[in-house]
Each structure stands twice: as C-alpha cells, then as structure tokens.
Amino acid sequence: MHGRRGLFVYLGVACLGMWAAMSLLLLGGYHRGDAREETGALQQVCIAAAMLAPALAAVLVVRLVERGGRVRDALALRWPGPWGRTFRSCLMAFAVPCGLTAAALALGTLAGRYPFGGVHWSGLGGWAAGAVLGMLVWLPLFFGEELGRQGYLFPRLAGDGGRRSLVRAYAVTGTAFALWHLPTLLMGGQYPGRPWYVSVPAMLVSCVLILPVFTWLRLRSGSVVPAVIGHAFVSSMSVGMVKEFADPTAALDPLHMGMAGWPGWIATGAFVAFLALTGRLRPSFHARPGIGGPPAAPMDVRPGRTARSR
C-alpha cells in the first residue's frame, strides 16, 4: 500500500513542482523559436527550480511515506566504489553519450539533414574546455532529476526484477520522464518552432530510448552519480556538439539532428538493443561478482532494506 501511495505522491509533487517553476514563463508568454537562441537569466532560474522538483519529491516520499532507511541509501546517493571504480564509472558516463552524439551527427550528415560545417581543430580544445566547465556548473542540478528517476522511481517500479516488472519500469519511467517536460515542450524548449503535437511524441520517443542508458549507468555502478553525469552530458555538451560542428549560417532543427532527433533515436536504439540482448538492463546481471556491479543486488529498495542493512 505504501509503495503505490509513494509512487503517486512522488509523481504528483514532481509534476506540480515543474509546473510551478515554469509558471512565470508560461504566464509571460515565453516561447523559444530558434535552436540557437540562448536562455536568459529568468529562464535559467526557472529551469534550475524545476530540476530540483523530482529530488524534493523523492526525499519527501522516503521520509514521510516509506519511513525506512537513510535517504542516501534509499536513493543510491553514493560513490560507485573505490576511487578507481568511481573514475571508470564516471568516464563511461561521459564517453557513452559522447559516442552516441557523434554517431547521431554522422547519421544526420549522411542523410543530408545535419549541416556539418567541419571540425575546427584550432579552437576545439577551448570549446571543449568551456563546455565541460559549463556542464560541471550545472551538474548539481541534474542530481535533482536523477535522484527522483534513477534513485526513486525506476527501482520502485522494477520491484523484484522480473521481466514484466522491468518492462513496466522502463516504460513508465521513460514516459513520466517525457511528460514531466510538458511545460517546456509547450514553450518550444526542446523542439523550438514545433507544435506540441509534434514535440510531445518526439520527447516521448527520446526519453523512452535514453532512459535505459541512464539506468544501465546506474545499475553497473550501484550509484546514481554516473546517471547524473550521463544526463548532464546529453542535456548540455551533446546540444553544444550539435551547434559546434554545424555550419554557423544554417538553421538547426533538433528533430532531425542530435540526440533529440531521429538520428539520435537510431544510435541510441541500437545501443539499447545491445544492452538488452546482452542482459545488461537487468539488475541481476550487475549483482554477480566480477561482472560490473557490487556483489549485492544494487536495487533492493523495499522499505527498511538498504545496502548497509543487508
């Protein structure tokens, strides 16, 4: 009973927090019409507030509804392990989205939909350093999103780790991930210039496909930290790569380029298929010693059961 009530409370608080944070922009008639348009100070403040809503919802449920275990243990807010393992897990969380983005740009270029402008080697290092710095500045806010999704929502839906439970967990978490963005989609956030009846289904496809990648990063490490890094890369550096390598005079349409468009869906879908076929999307795969996860099952989240109490 507590489990179902906790899920409804979590989803309600997370969504209400998003709508509340975006209310000023919605009431003010803000609309993003160009993919190259930069966000202003007010937009950044509203986005930051919205990103904290899922974590707030998760903490409230753990504290007031489940009432079991420490929040850090209940939401997998821990380092992946020894420093060597932590470094490898974080590096993987950076490298995989980078590779998927590069593959998406290559597919878009081959299809004639991405206006590839070449690689400017002389300034590439400076751009990369600035992009990494910008990603690190925003990184704490992505804990706000992933503590809710990978720390709370997915593990509760996954339950005992059976096939049906896992399929439901991936589908529901990905769908909730997409619909949580509804206020920004209505303002042209992720797909500027596109009507809601195009941007909402596109976001649904994007989130359902990328969610297993973030979950795999969380499963193989037993921690939400790599998932946070992966999400931060997709939402910041991946978008920056689309702009950096494009012809500066060409119009950019996220629906046809990058991770948010169909080239990204193909690249991500192929990678997710590999993860699924090799069993890497099952928590039990990473619970075996020597495979990639800690010896104990990393997603036993029943109230009162934590990694330290087993």
Side-chain angles (χ1 to χ4, degrees):
M1 182 68 177
H2 280 183
R4 181 172 296 181
R5 184 172 65 186
L7 289 172
F8 284 124
V9 171
Y10 166 78
L11 292 171
V13 173
C15 290
L16 285 175
M18 173 55 135
W19 282 93
M22 291 294 154
S23 60
L24 284 177
L25 300 181
L26 288 166
L27 293 174
Y30 173 76
H31 190 80
R32 184 168 180 249
D34 191 326
R36 295 187 185 273
E37 180 182 337
E38 299 294 335
T39 55
L42 177 60
Q43 287 80 35
Q44 292 183 10
V45 170
C46 292
I47 291 170
M51 293 172 71
L52 295 176
L56 174 62
V59 171
L60 285 175
V61 171
V62 170
R63 285 288 192 189
L64 303 180
V65 179
E66 293 184 353
R67 299 178 182 273
R70 299 197 314 167
V71 170
R72 288 182 61 186
D73 291 329
L75 302 181
L77 183 57
R78 63 176 77 92
W79 289 111
W83 286 112
R85 178 180 175 81
T86 295
F87 175 78
R88 292 191 300 272
S89 297
C90 293
L91 182 62
M92 184 70 73
F94 190 94
V96 169
C98 184
L100 293 175
T101 303
L105 296 184
L107 286 171
T109 301
L110 291 173
R113 301 312 302 263
Y114 177 62
F116 183 62
V119 179
H120 307 290
W121 297 105
S122 59
L124 186 60
W127 170 82
V132 171
L133 179 60
M135 173 181 153
L136 293 176
V137 169
W138 281 88
L139 188 65
L141 293 177
F142 286 94
F143 277 91
E145 292 197 49
E146 292 306 324
L147 281 177
R149 297 191 188 101
Q150 297 299 336
Y152 178 81
L153 184 57
F154 180 87
R156 272 66 179 180
L157 290 172
D160 57 5
R163 184 185 297 273
R164 292 182 62 183
S165 296
L166 286 176
V167 171
R168 177 186 61 191
Y170 282 113
V172 173
T173 305
T175 301
F177 183 14
L179 295 181
W180 178 82
H181 289 87
L182 184 57
T184 62
L185 292 169
L186 295 176
M187 293 184 287
Q190 287 79 9
Y191 298 94
R194 296 285 183 174
W196 67 267
Y197 52 82
V198 173
S199 61
V200 172
M203 191 65 177
L204 183 62
V205 174
S206 294
C207 290
V208 169
L209 285 174
I210 198 63
L211 185 279
V213 178
F214 297 157
T215 303
W216 167 69
L217 291 170
R218 183 256 192 267
L219 288 173
R220 71 187 301 275
S221 63
S223 164
V224 298
V225 174
V228 170
I229 295 173
H231 190 168
F233 188 101
V234 169
S235 295
S236 59
M237 286 195 69
S238 178
V239 176
M241 288 172 67
V242 173
K243 299 178 181 178
E244 173 65 17
F245 300 120
D247 181 340
T249 64
L252 300 179
D253 185 352
L255 195 60
H256 295 290
M257 57 191 68
M259 295 290 288
W262 63 261
W265 301 344
I266 294 175
T268 306
F271 185 67
V272 169
F274 162 76
L275 294 177
L277 291 173
T278 56
R280 287 172 167 81
L281 294 182
R282 297 196 306 266
S284 58
F285 178 94
H286 303 279
R288 289 178 286 168
I291 295 298
M299 279 197 166
D300 188 352
V301 294
R302 288 169 290 170
R305 297 278 291 176
T306 69
R308 294 180 181 227
S309 66
R310 283 193 292 268

